[in-house]
Amino acid sequence: MNHWLLRLLGLLLMASALAVALSRAPDRPAESLVARWAPSPSDFIEVKGQVVHLRDEGPRGDPLPLVLLHGTSASLHTWDGWVAAIKPSRRVIRFDLPGFGLTGPFAGSYARDDYRGDTYARFVIDMLDALRVPRAVIGGNSLGGEVAWRVATLAPARIERLILVDATGYRFEPESVPLGFRIARVPVLNRLGEHLLPRALVAASVAAVYGDPTRVTEALVDRYFELTLREGNRRALGLRMQQLDPGDDAVRLQSLAMPTLVLWGGRDRLIPPAIAARFAADIRGARLVTFPDLGHVPQEEDPPRTVQPVLEFLEIKR
């Protein structure tokens, strides 16, 4: 009996070692990812010593550019569908926030390990200054939505309109949290996650934020997987998760008075659709549009349908 137990234990150890070896995913330098994920019209600019991956498209003479901010673990690519529809008429600016995509962790004049909401908001204001954009329409998804409304509260004179897509801001009880986010919040596991990253974990995490997981393609998983491996991003994600304080400063939303469009996926299992009604109630005159069959990233899951209320909000005739 002991002989068979030892053999079984040996097989389990071998299988575990193989699983670890197959899951090993070291950081990748940004330069190794640029060719695939930053073709034209991508550009890189320096803002206070921080190198930022940027796409700036559409008419340069537009006096009110649209600035779009992505969510946690995403990148500027999440807006591809919207930008295709908007850029023939309006200037659209999007960039990878520090800690994500090809921008990588905070550097330069910024505190290295500070990934709080207002820190991101001040960074976005610095971006507007660097791009010489005195006033803009700003929108964001999830974390990007929170950063957008924080920018609007810190610099209201610079924001003409606001678009919030499944945004964070209030305390909430999630129905489901992507496994990758849960691991990033656990101190020991997140350190392991800086060296191990099964692609299947990324695929499951992306599927968890879609209303219809069958819409998740291999190419989409590739993008999330490879950009997560950008040097320093996994450590930054762990810091961001540790610094989360849902509901912190939500009272500031009541000070907003600019025209606001709130978009929400009815199948968002991360931030409940009930939160959408709170944004609409606290921001005077806000308009709420929901998409019953979509999840937490509706702009990515169904761009043609979700961009329609945006075109109307921006008074773009097609």
Side-chain angles (χ1 to χ4, degrees), residues 63-90:
L64 285 170
L66 172 61
V67 178
L68 293 173
L69 308 175
H70 63 77
T72 300
S73 290
S75 62
L76 58 74
H77 306 85
T78 194
W79 302 108
D80 283 349
W82 277 24
V83 173
I86 296 169
K87 69 180 180 180
S89 304
R90 299 290 296 270

Side-chain angles (χ1 to χ4, degrees), residues 50-73:
Q50 174 82 50
V51 177
V52 183
H53 178 215
L54 164 82
R55 288 187 182 175
D56 187 348
E57 302 168 81
R60 282 297 186 274
D62 186 349
L64 285 170
L66 172 61
V67 178
L68 293 173
L69 308 175
H70 63 77
T72 300
S73 290

Side-chain angles (χ1 to χ4, degrees), residues 7-183:
R7 285 192 64 182
L8 178 60
L9 179 60
L11 289 172
L12 288 173
L13 289 173
M14 289 176 61
S16 298
L18 178 61
V20 168
L22 292 174
S23 300
R24 186 174 181 277
D27 276 352
R28 297 184 187 177
E31 295 77 12
S32 69
L33 300 166
V34 166
R36 183 174 186 186
W37 303 114
S40 179
S42 279
D43 198 1
F44 290 84
I45 65 169
E46 188 172 317
V47 179
K48 293 188 174 182
Q50 174 82 50
V51 177
V52 183
H53 178 215
L54 164 82
R55 288 187 182 175
D56 187 348
E57 302 168 81
R60 282 297 186 274
D62 186 349
L64 285 170
L66 172 61
V67 178
L68 293 173
L69 308 175
H70 63 77
T72 300
S73 290
S75 62
L76 58 74
H77 306 85
T78 194
W79 302 108
D80 283 349
W82 277 24
V83 173
I86 296 169
K87 69 180 180 180
S89 304
R90 299 290 296 270
R91 181 182 178 188
V92 188
I93 299 167
R94 49 186 167 141
F95 44 86
D96 291 341
L97 291 167
F100 306 110
L102 292 174
T103 292
F106 270 119
S109 299
Y110 298 97
R112 295 295 191 273
D113 294 342
D114 185 354
Y115 292 90
R116 293 172 296 174
D118 274 356
T119 304
Y120 274 122
R122 294 187 184 99
F123 165 78
V124 171
I125 293 171
D126 290 341
M127 282 290 297
L128 295 179
D129 290 342
L131 295 169
R132 299 181 180 179
V133 174
R135 192 166 168 82
V137 176
I138 192 167
N141 169 236
S142 195
L143 164 64
E146 177 183 341
V147 176
W149 68 251
R150 285 179 179 274
V151 170
T153 61
L154 292 176
R158 302 194 65 171
I159 303 303
E160 198 267 345
R161 294 182 176 224
L162 180 63
I163 302 171
L164 303 178
V165 185
D166 295 71
T168 51
Y170 300 95
R171 296 192 186 281
F172 63 90
E173 288 295 330
E175 179 183 337
S176 174
V177 178
L179 181 57
F181 289 3
R182 280 183 275 161
I183 290 173

Side-chain angles (χ1 to χ4, degrees), residues 179-312:
L179 181 57
F181 289 3
R182 280 183 275 161
I183 290 173
R185 296 199 70 172
V186 180
V188 175
L189 289 181
N190 63 22
R191 295 303 300 272
L192 285 174
E194 292 177 26
H195 308 282
L196 307 174
L197 186 64
R199 188 176 181 280
L201 184 149
V202 176
S205 295
V206 176
V209 295
Y210 268 56
D212 179 2
T214 65
R215 293 176 182 262
V216 176
T217 65
E218 291 299 309
L220 182 67
V221 174
D222 277 349
R223 188 183 81 208
Y224 276 96
F225 177 66
E226 292 195 3
L227 292 178
T228 297
L229 296 179
R230 192 270 189 216
E231 188 175 16
N233 279 357
R234 282 175 285 181
R235 180 176 182 275
L237 175 62
L239 290 167
R240 168 64 190 165
M241 288 299 174
Q242 292 168 37
Q243 293 165 12
L244 281 176
D245 189 6
D248 187 35
D249 299 327
V251 67
R252 286 160 48 182
L253 287 157
Q254 298 174 26
S255 70
L256 298 177
M258 68 277 294
T260 299
L261 176 64
V262 180
L263 303 179
W264 221 269
R267 291 184 182 175
D268 189 341
R269 298 190 298 151
L270 179 58
I271 306 181
I275 296 297
R278 295 194 63 182
F279 277 107
D282 279 349
I283 302 174
R284 292 190 294 279
R287 178 192 174 203
L288 171 61
V289 178
T290 59
F291 302 93
D293 59 323
L294 301 182
H296 184 63
V297 285
Q299 81 286 351
E300 184 174 285
E301 189 172 357
D302 192 341
R305 182 153 50 110
T306 56
V307 80
Q308 289 306 312
V310 177
L311 296 174
E312 294 171 13

